[in-house]
Amino acid sequence: MLGSRVRALRTARGMTQEELGEKASINYKYLGSIERGERNPSLENLARIADGLGVKLRDLFVLEHEVPTLRKLRAHVAEALASADEKKLRQAARLLDALLE
């Protein structure tokens, strides 16, 4: 989720990985691996990324600012349901029934 947040902030600012990497003094390939969730950056590198994006470090962890599209929401729900066992599906169905009444 952290990598997705970094990517969302970067693209919202119209920056390429190369541009952010330069501003943050981090190799753009390393930045790409962070965005793909392949690497766990150190606190120092996270601070550099935040500075490069012009945000506070804590903003990298505030995921509720992202507003997914309806298509993405439906895909997320479908993916979660597809991997759920019967017990979790029953719980999800009860929760949905309660929310959508």
Side-chain angles (χ1 to χ4, degrees):
M1 286 191 273
L2 173 67
S4 295
R5 177 69 175 153
V6 169
R7 178 177 287 139
L9 289 168
R10 177 181 58 76
T11 57
R13 285 159 178 70
M15 298 172 71
T16 65
Q17 288 178 342
E18 291 86 358
E19 290 168 334
L20 177 55
E22 188 174 315
K23 284 188 173 197
S25 300
I26 293 175
N27 182 285
Y28 74 94
K29 290 182 181 181
Y30 176 68
L31 181 60
S33 67
I34 292 170
E35 289 185 359
R36 291 187 301 276
E38 298 169 354
R39 297 259 177 123
N40 293 315
S42 67
L43 186 57
E44 179 181 342
N45 284 336
L46 285 174
R48 288 180 182 181
I49 291 168
D51 285 344
L53 290 167
V55 300
K56 294 182 179 182
L57 181 59
R58 70 172 182 237
D59 292 332
L60 297 181
F61 301 96
V62 181
L63 302 177
E64 64 266 15
H65 288 303
E66 294 182 36
V67 180
T69 63
L70 183 57
R71 190 185 90 195
K72 286 183 179 181
L73 281 172
R74 286 188 172 149
H76 174 72
V77 170
E79 183 180 322
L81 292 174
S83 63
D85 62 18
E86 183 179 351
K87 180 181 177 183
K88 288 184 180 181
L89 278 173
R90 291 183 187 282
Q91 290 172 334
R94 284 194 301 273
L95 181 60
L96 283 171
D97 287 343
L99 286 172
L100 301 175
E101 287 183 340

